[in-house]
Amino acid sequence: MFMPEPRTCQNCQASFVVEDDDFRFYEKVKVPPPTLCVACRKQRRLAQGNHLFLYKRQCDATGKPIISNYAPNGAYKVFDQAYWHSDAWDGVYFGRDFDFNRSFFEQYGELSKAVPRPALQTAFHFDENSQYTNYAGKNKNCYLIFDSDENWDCYYSYSTNSSKSCSDCYRVKQCELCYECIDCENCYRSYFLQDCEQCIDSAYLKNCIGCKNCFMSSNLRHKEYYIQNQPVGKELYEEWMARLGFRSGIEADKKAWAEFALKFPQKFMHGTHNENVTGDYLVNCKNAVQCFDSRDLWDCKYFDQSFMDAKDCMDIQECGDKAELLYETAFSGYSVYNLKFCLHCLSPNRNLQYCNYCVSCEDCFGCIGLKRKKYCVLNKQYTKEEYESLLPKIIEQMKSSGEYGEFFPIQLSSFAYNETLAQDFYPLTKKDAVTQGYKWRDEEAKNTVAASVLPDSIDETEEDICDRILACEDCARNYAINKQEFTLMKHFLKVALPRKCFFCRHQARRAQRNPRRLWNRPCMKCGTEMKTSYAPERPEIVYCEKCYLEAVY
């Protein structure tokens, strides 16, 4: 019989509770309970992944120019993806004996700097003209899209899937000719939509389904020619839509929309077809506790951003597709089983601990960059009998030193903190990051032209703007308008060009979504207690599911 146990986080000193079902899971996977709170464990995992920052550099094997999320002149060897996945080299070459007189993480850190890693995480064999993508695959003619698959002619987007000719979107699926849409599905030629499905030729909608030719409205179902939730004529609708062609019109309407949207109730969580779940942005999940941005979870806890079908997992960042029995693991998946404290382990991996960039491996510990290997420790090959004799001794020493059961420490991250997903969800200043032991990367300045040079109207914008390097009006970071983007914006979407860089636009979209955190608060109509990602002090009207459905239908 397990009992809940209060603890103090060894990082931030906050109090947290290890629940009885947590203890049962730790016993199943044979790990000690965590020493950090849920938030600090998430931050530590997020600080190991760089999705968005790409650099030009050379392959350390062939010398050819490549695009990578590893900055040039860094501490790590980086190979072109095709070369890295080939049989031209073997990670066992870098194998070494385990030294029981030194800490595991010290030895792992040395191995990490010796073993090459792939330039990007993409399904490069299936990509076409999509070099500037990462954590993505099966894309064609795409540029700066991340965590995205099976897209065509899409730009500047995150978690965009099976979509065409979309730009500046966040978590959309099966959309076409959409711009600045967030959490939408099956929408067409629409702008600034959020949490919408099957909407066409519309702008500034939230929580709408099956709407056409609608503008600045919320909670509509199967309506046509509506503005501010009121029926209008076609002429007035077209007049309002024409403002999208002017940057000044967009900024004015965005401000008006932010105020107008607060008049309408919001459901306490985003999601459908769930059973016994807490969290947000969940679909087809059962027995999922404090999970976010996930689908097809079963018996999972503290799981963020699954890519389908995960079972019996805890403390996970971005894993899935036939994943089972994972703990403290990030960026791994595709038929993986029993992974603990692993990173970037894709394809059918089994029984791995403290591994990174391993492909189709089994029964390995502390390994990096191995392909189709079994019974390896620190990349050194052992027999089955040698491995099974050595592994318990290593784990016992790591337990005595307090290392076993802890994810990779922040000092072992391959990236600067401000390159990683951690900066999105747990932002730090350079001073604070360095004080806490994280790396930091400063950007190099370039000669730029202020974004104010962009005409207000898209009709007055000429293609020569693509020849200039612009400065973001918010952060002054360099950005450019590429020719594909220009064609899409001027001739198809007919919307004014942005005056902010991709990173500021991405952050603004992400900020419109709810945080990955829960609060207890009552339904503002019936008083039912709810766990919701809407903080009590926020201005939205928040209803339980029953009251929300009654209000909408």
Side-chain angles (χ1 to χ4, degrees):
M1 174 68 70
F2 296 105
M3 298 292 292
E5 181 180 312
R7 295 195 167 209
T8 300
C9 176
Q10 299 303 298
N11 183 53
C12 70
Q13 309 309 311
S15 299
F16 70 102
V17 176
V18 180
E19 304 289 352
D20 54 347
D21 58 337
D22 296 344
F23 280 114
R24 280 190 285 272
F25 182 83
Y26 301 141
E27 183 179 59
K28 181 188 297 186
V29 298
K30 298 180 174 58
V31 298
T35 61
L36 303 188
C37 66
V38 173
C40 286
R41 300 196 308 262
K42 284 187 180 184
Q43 183 183 23
R44 187 169 58 178
R45 290 192 300 273
L46 288 166
Q48 299 281 350
N50 170 17
H51 279 41
L52 304 180
F53 288 83
L54 303 181
Y55 306 94
K56 293 181 178 180
R57 59 171 295 156
Q58 288 185 325
C59 170
D60 286 314
T62 66
K64 67 180 286 189
I66 57 174
I67 306 300
S68 177
N69 62 338
Y70 287 92
N73 305 318
Y76 303 97
K77 296 178 182 177
V78 178
F79 286 178
D80 170 72
Q81 287 190 93
Y83 190 94
W84 191 92
H85 284 277
S86 74
D87 293 330
W89 71 284
D90 191 337
V92 172
Y93 171 82
F94 302 92
R96 56 204 60 196
D97 293 323
F98 187 88
D99 186 348
F100 284 92
N101 295 313
R102 302 167 63 204
S103 74
F104 165 74
F105 286 130
E106 179 184 1
Q107 297 176 70
Y108 177 91
E110 293 174 356
L111 178 66
S112 180
K113 291 182 178 179
V115 182
R117 60 267 328 277
L120 295 167
Q121 290 290 298
T122 67
F124 64 97
H125 285 118
F126 304 99
D127 288 342
E128 183 177 343
N129 189 30
S130 300
Q131 298 91 330
Y132 289 85
T133 64
N134 196 23
Y135 291 81
K138 300 181 180 179
N139 296 301
K140 182 177 181 180
N141 302 332
C142 292
Y143 180 76
L144 291 185
I145 67 169
F146 306 92
D147 186 47
S148 300
D149 296 324
E150 299 180 327
N151 301 288
W152 194 318
D153 297 322
C154 290
Y155 316 107
Y156 307 109
S157 297
Y158 188 87
S159 286
T160 295
N161 294 287
S162 304
S163 296
K164 294 182 179 180
S165 301
C166 293
S167 185
D168 290 87
C169 292
Y170 196 118
R171 295 191 77 86
V172 303
K173 183 178 181 181
Q174 294 178 332
C175 291
E176 185 172 355
L177 286 171
C178 287
Y179 177 69
E180 286 282 6
C181 291
I182 303 170
D183 292 295
C184 293
E185 188 168 347
N186 290 309
C187 293
Y188 178 77
R189 202 164 54 210
S190 293
Y191 315 78
F192 300 100
L193 270 53
Q194 187 169 6
D195 302 314
C196 292
E197 297 178 27
Q198 301 173 12
C199 292
I200 300 173
D201 292 322
S202 297
Y204 303 105
L205 302 186
K206 189 167 187 180
N207 298 325
C208 292
I209 298 176
C211 292
K212 183 178 180 181
N213 305 119
C214 293
F215 194 100
M216 201 174 292
S217 297
S218 182
N219 291 346
L220 296 182
R221 299 293 185 269
H222 308 291
K223 301 296 184 184
E224 186 172 3
Y225 291 118
Y226 267 61
I227 295 177
Q228 293 185 329
N229 282 60
Q230 299 297 320
V232 298
K234 178 180 178 182
E235 294 77 12
L236 184 58
Y237 158 80
E238 290 178 345
E239 179 182 325
W240 282 57
M241 287 291 286
R243 303 211 294 247
L244 290 165
F246 299 85
R247 179 51 50 181
S248 57
I250 288 174
E251 296 306 320
D253 285 339
K254 284 170 66 176
K255 182 177 179 181
W257 169 231
E259 297 174 356
F260 183 77
L262 293 176
K263 298 179 180 180
F264 300 90
Q266 306 296 312
K267 192 171 74 168
F268 78 105
M269 74 167 288
H270 304 82
T272 59
H273 303 100
N274 297 307
E275 180 181 344
N276 188 32
V277 304
T278 59
D280 207 3
Y281 302 102
L282 300 177
V283 177
N284 296 331
C285 296
K286 182 178 180 180
N287 302 333
V289 180
Q290 293 191 49
C291 297
F292 299 88
D293 290 308
S294 296
R295 61 185 305 132
D296 301 314
L297 299 182
W298 191 307
D299 296 328
C300 293
K301 195 169 187 178
Y302 312 134
F303 200 131
D304 290 353
Q305 212 163 315
S306 77
F307 43 92
M308 296 178 58
D309 196 10
K311 181 179 179 181
D312 212 8
C313 300
M314 185 182 290
D315 282 294
I316 304 298
Q317 171 65 38
E318 201 170 332
C319 296
D321 199 0
K322 299 181 179 64
E324 184 173 355
L325 215 64
L326 273 55
Y327 176 63
E328 277 275 38
T329 289
F331 319 120
S332 301
Y334 307 111
S335 300
V336 292
Y337 177 81
N338 192 28
L339 270 56
K340 293 177 281 192
F341 320 109
C342 289
L343 281 166
H344 303 109
C345 289
L346 299 172
S347 298
N349 287 295
R350 297 176 63 88
N351 305 326
L352 305 185
Q353 298 187 65
Y354 293 104
C355 290
N356 192 1
Y357 290 117
C358 287
V359 180
S360 301
C361 293
E362 295 184 33
D363 299 290
C364 291
F365 190 97
C367 294
I368 305 169
L370 295 186
K371 293 165 285 187
R372 300 175 297 278
K373 301 297 182 183
K374 295 178 67 172
Y375 309 124
C376 294
V377 176
L378 292 179
N379 283 39
K380 182 176 179 180
Q381 182 69 65
Y382 293 90
T383 66
K384 180 176 184 292
E385 293 73 21
E386 290 171 335
Y387 178 84
E388 291 178 346
S389 174
L390 177 62
L391 185 60
K393 298 175 184 177
I394 294 174
I395 291 176
E396 191 59 36
Q397 172 168 307
M398 290 179 65
K399 285 181 178 179
S400 65
S401 66
E403 290 181 299
Y404 190 74
E406 299 296 329
F407 195 67
F408 298 108
I410 58 176
Q411 293 81 5
L412 292 182
S413 174
S414 302
F415 305 104
Y417 189 85
N418 56 326
E419 291 177 314
T420 70
L421 294 172
Q423 182 70 347
D424 280 356
F425 296 94
Y426 302 92
L428 297 176
T429 64
K430 176 180 178 180
K431 180 180 178 181
D432 288 341
V434 172
T435 299
Q436 294 180 34
Y438 294 103
K439 306 181 188 77
W440 190 269
R441 181 173 177 81
D442 294 315
E443 290 195 59
E444 296 180 3
K446 295 181 180 178
N447 294 324
T448 60
V449 177
S452 58
V453 73
L454 287 168
D456 185 51
S457 167
I458 186 62
D459 289 335
E460 297 174 2
T461 308
E462 300 300 330
E463 189 172 333
D464 61 2
I465 195 66
C466 300
D467 300 326
R468 303 191 183 189
I469 296 176
L470 305 175
C472 173
E473 65 179 10
D474 276 5
C475 72
R477 183 187 272 116
N478 304 146
Y479 78 105
I481 306 295
N482 67 39
K483 291 184 178 180
Q484 297 95 320
E485 175 191 9
F486 176 84
T487 300
L488 177 66
M489 300 287 274
K490 182 163 185 172
H491 301 294
F492 294 94
L493 294 173
K494 302 184 186 302
V495 63
L497 294 174
R499 295 188 176 183
K500 299 178 182 179
C501 69
F502 161 71
F503 297 99
C504 287
R505 280 142 46 198
H506 170 76
Q507 291 295 348
R509 288 189 290 273
R510 194 186 59 76
Q512 293 181 59
R513 306 177 80 244
N514 287 14
R516 292 174 178 175
R517 184 180 172 188
L518 298 176
W519 288 266
N520 292 316
R521 61 178 289 180
C523 169
M524 295 176 70
K525 185 175 182 182
C526 72
T528 298
E529 285 295 318
M530 313 174 295
K531 281 189 177 296
T532 177
S533 57
Y534 289 95
E537 65 272 14
R538 283 179 56 162
E540 293 92 348
I541 302 167
V542 183
Y543 285 179
C544 67
E545 184 165 13
K546 179 176 180 294
C547 291
Y548 176 80
L549 293 176
E550 290 173 352
V552 172
Y553 294 100

